[in-house]
Amino acid sequence: IFDGEVSITMKILQTTDRIVLHKQFIVIQPSISTSDPSVSVLRTLFDEERHFLTIIFNRTLDKDRPLTLTISY
């Protein structure tokens, strides 16, 4: 068992209120932070069959804006 943290920097290509990541064999900690103080995580969903982690935000992410997610596991 191990702990870690990852920061994922992305450019939003189209407006959306969610990001979908592939996740398997790790446990995500409840606090996922963003580089934009006006963007917070409303909830996360996990698709056990496809191993998809969906992160749903409190607002729509603007196209062509950078965003960094920091996720502890």
Side-chain angles (χ1 to χ4, degrees):
I1 297 179
F2 62 93
D3 296 327
E5 182 177 271
V6 64
S7 291
I8 303 168
T9 301
M10 62 194 89
K11 179 179 177 182
I12 307 303
L13 298 179
Q14 64 185 36
T15 56
T16 185
D17 70 343
R18 63 195 65 213
I19 300 289
V20 180
L21 302 172
H22 186 264
K23 176 193 94 70
Q24 190 173 9
F25 305 126
I26 60 172
V27 176
I28 301 294
Q29 300 301 315
S31 61
I32 298 173
S33 62
T34 72
S35 57
D36 183 339
S38 71
V39 177
S40 61
V41 176
L42 280 182
R43 68 176 185 249
T44 59
L45 305 170
F46 184 62
D47 180 334
E48 298 269 346
E49 185 177 319
R50 298 185 297 167
H51 308 285
F52 287 166
L53 173 69
T54 302
I55 303 169
I56 302 171
F57 298 101
N58 64 320
R59 68 175 189 83
T60 301
L61 304 175
D62 299 323
K63 181 181 176 184
D64 296 326
R65 299 273 317 263
L67 183 72
T68 300
L69 291 178
T70 302
I71 303 170
S72 297
Y73 55 91

